[in-house]
Amino acid sequence: MASNGKKENILSSWKEIAAYLDCDVRTCVRWEQRYGLPIHRLDREAKSKVFAYREQIDEWLASRASASGPGPAKPVRSPRCWRPVAGVFGLTAVAAAVYFLFVRPSDPAATKLPSDFLIERSELVIVDGRGRELWRRDTRLADLQNEDFYRTHSKPKEPDGEYNTVWPFIRIGDLDGDRTPEVLFSIQTTSENREGTLFCYDARGAELWRFDAGRALDFGGKPFRREYRIIGLDVDDYDVDGSLEVLVISAQKPDWPCQVVLLDAAGRLEGEFWNAGYIMDASLGDVDGDGAPELVLSGVNNEYRRGCLAVFEPGRLRGSSPQLSPAFRSPDLGAGGQSAYVLFPANDIYAALYQEGESVNSFWIHPGGGLTAVTFGTQIFYDLDSSLSCPNVTLSHVFKNLHRTAAAKRLVTSTPDAAYERALADSFLYYRAGRWAGPGGAAATGLGPAEAGPRK
């Protein structure tokens, strides 16, 4: 290993490496896997502590940039370049690679381009890199969320300390590849009213397009009004087609269903999927280990009252979730385009303490395939391999404390041991050929809200 022998040359964690590259940790992992980003480990274990040398990363960046001469060997489709401004906002995976390798932007403070924002009462105020106001837009909403809220929701999505996904509601960056930033802004209010519109503004503040979430639908003869809340948005090359898309997740208020859409840089609909229950997390990654990324969604399915996970190959985000009961199906929606749809186990603790289905609020995809998903209330960690089988279940301290409380109240009789974990792993259900089946392929029996998970 090359080193200059100085301690300050060493980046001793994924967090420090990501900060040095001005991107997120998942992007760094992807760069290591696909582009040879020089990462070192204390041992050969995948989860070993990582470190890197600044000089090696600088050499890697230089080599990637010079590999194709003064510019890229092939024309790079400009819409890939979702560039941050003034270091305020993080980089998405594809855009970050293009940014560092080919088109490092000029100083936004000198170009008077949108770089940051303020929230002043009902107004969105966009400023340049020196804090000078460029333009403002008045939402005319007295209960618009304040600046602290939007600051918390201004970076690429990430899980919080309790494994809930924190989604951005404002992003500033080059969406369409014209080397000037656009502003994506989702209305969010303290009353949770009028939260169904996403605006896209150009660098001068002109509205390029707007997206109004949801539509009126019937499920089992029950009408659901077009009153939707946007609960998350982010930007990435979700279709893996060389251009960026905006992912928008919206839920009907106050009920379900949940709509997931992909919009192109002009706000045109590229994909749409409906789930009979909330979608709480979404990520792009190579789940099946074939070298190509998929779009993965997680949340809860209300009919079965179980956490769910759906996997989509590029360009196949369409239709609706697989449902048995007519009450959870709409005649206006076709079959889902997912390559896999999985129901997570119900468990007796959540059923005893909360009574409703437990969602999968967060997950992360592993390099080389597979993922780890975390349930919302009980924080059970499920490791899924590249075939989405579950070889390992980990019961968190949160779960064990909840189990102790429930057992003391005589609400459950189970024992949280290895057999309990194995029973959970064996309780996954997969939608295949029009029916639900367990890990071994046997048809599911008794599927529905009454299931409470393993007991003894």
Side-chain angles (χ1 to χ4, degrees):
M1 298 179 186
S3 172
N4 63 7
K6 297 181 180 180
K7 184 176 181 181
E8 57 268 22
N9 185 43
I10 299 177
L11 303 167
S12 59
S13 67
W14 278 121
K15 184 176 181 180
E16 290 186 6
I17 296 167
Y20 186 69
L21 288 170
D22 194 20
C23 65
D24 56 50
V25 170
R26 293 184 181 182
T27 298
C28 290
V29 172
R30 191 175 295 114
W31 285 359
E32 180 197 17
Q33 181 182 2
R34 298 184 183 177
Y35 305 113
L37 177 67
I39 301 296
H40 304 284
R41 290 175 170 80
L42 296 179
D43 56 50
R44 294 183 179 181
E45 294 294 325
K47 295 184 179 180
S48 172
K49 182 177 177 62
V50 301
F51 63 95
Y53 297 104
R54 286 181 170 85
E55 62 181 19
Q56 290 185 354
I57 290 180
D58 292 341
E59 291 171 0
W60 176 81
L61 288 171
S63 67
R64 293 292 300 177
S66 63
S68 55
K74 298 180 180 179
V76 177
R77 297 181 62 181
S78 58
R80 292 169 64 97
C81 190
W82 176 251
R83 297 178 296 174
V85 191
V88 175
F89 301 99
L91 298 163
T92 59
V94 174
V98 177
Y99 166 86
F100 277 111
L101 306 185
F102 306 120
V103 286
R104 193 180 295 265
S106 59
D107 179 11
T111 56
K112 298 182 180 180
L113 294 176
S115 174
D116 201 356
F117 70 93
L118 305 170
I119 301 293
E120 295 182 355
R121 298 182 179 85
S122 63
E123 294 183 314
L124 166 68
V125 183
I126 297 298
V127 300
D128 66 11
R130 295 177 180 173
R132 298 173 297 195
E133 180 178 330
L134 299 177
W135 49 268
R136 62 176 61 210
R137 289 292 173 268
D138 193 348
T139 67
R140 302 185 185 280
L141 296 173
D143 60 343
L144 183 70
Q145 287 281 8
N146 61 27
E147 186 174 322
D148 288 342
F149 173 87
Y150 275 101
R151 289 284 172 203
T152 303
H153 296 272
S154 63
K155 299 178 181 179
K157 76 170 189 70
E158 59 185 3
D160 65 10
E162 296 182 352
Y163 299 100
N164 296 312
T165 300
V166 180
W167 289 93
F169 293 118
I170 183 170
R171 296 294 308 275
I172 301 177
D174 186 2
L175 181 63
D176 58 11
D178 63 356
R179 301 201 176 196
T180 59
E182 285 76 43
V183 178
L184 292 171
F185 180 67
S186 171
I187 297 290
Q188 298 291 310
T189 63
T190 56
S191 64
E192 298 185 351
N193 289 321
R194 301 179 66 180
E195 294 187 337
T197 302
L198 171 65
F199 295 91
C200 181
Y201 299 105
D202 69 12
R204 296 183 177 182
E207 182 182 317
L208 294 175
W209 51 264
R210 68 174 64 183
F211 170 71
D212 292 314
R215 53 189 162 108
L217 290 170
D218 281 358
F219 285 81
K222 176 183 177 181
F224 287 77
R225 297 182 302 274
R226 187 176 184 172
E227 295 180 8
Y228 282 74
R229 297 180 57 224
I230 293 176
I231 59 177
L233 68 96
D234 214 347
V235 178
D236 207 334
D237 183 7
Y238 290 103
D239 275 351
V240 198
D241 61 356
S243 60
L244 295 174
E245 290 84 36
V246 182
L247 177 82
V248 185
I249 301 176
S250 310
Q252 203 273 348
K253 180 185 177 181
D255 212 334
W256 56 276
C258 188
Q259 179 196 44
V260 182
V261 301
L262 292 179
L263 307 173
D264 69 8
R268 295 177 295 238
L269 187 68
E270 288 197 351
E272 179 184 39
F273 177 76
W274 293 80
N275 190 64
Y278 275 35
I279 294 296
M280 305 303 297
D281 199 1
S283 284
L284 186 70
D286 183 13
V287 179
D288 57 14
D290 66 352
E294 297 83 32
L295 173 58
V296 184
L297 310 176
S298 74
V300 65
N301 190 295
N302 284 10
E303 177 183 355
Y304 313 114
R305 297 190 186 178
R306 285 182 175 224
C308 65
L309 184 139
V311 181
F312 297 85
E313 299 297 328
R316 294 185 61 85
L317 186 73
R318 63 172 183 257
S320 58
S321 55
Q323 308 299 147
L324 297 180
S325 170
F328 292 88
R329 297 200 302 263
S330 172
D332 297 323
L333 302 175
Q338 70 275 354
S339 58
Y341 195 100
V342 181
L343 293 179
F344 283 69
N347 70 78
D348 52 349
I349 301 303
Y350 197 82
L353 298 179
Y354 302 101
Q355 302 302 318
E356 295 297 332
E358 183 175 24
S359 64
V360 176
N361 275 25
S362 180
F363 66 89
W364 60 92
I365 300 171
H366 304 306
L371 58 84
T372 296
V374 189
T375 56
F376 166 61
T378 57
Q379 288 189 20
I380 301 176
F381 291 76
Y382 293 98
D383 292 327
L384 305 186
D385 61 22
S386 58
S387 69
L388 300 183
S389 296
C390 181
N392 184 60
V393 176
T394 302
L395 304 178
S396 68
H397 290 296
V398 170
F399 175 88
K400 292 177 180 178
N401 288 337
L402 291 173
H403 189 282
R404 190 177 299 113
T405 298
K409 296 179 179 179
R410 298 184 179 181
L411 298 176
V412 298
T413 59
S414 59
T415 302
D417 54 13
Y420 187 100
E421 294 175 346
R422 188 67 257 160
L424 287 173
D426 291 340
S427 298
F428 276 79
L429 292 176
Y430 305 84
Y431 192 73
R432 297 171 178 145
R435 69 171 189 169
W436 291 103
T445 59
L447 180 62
E451 281 192 293
R455 294 180 179 272
K456 285 190 176 180

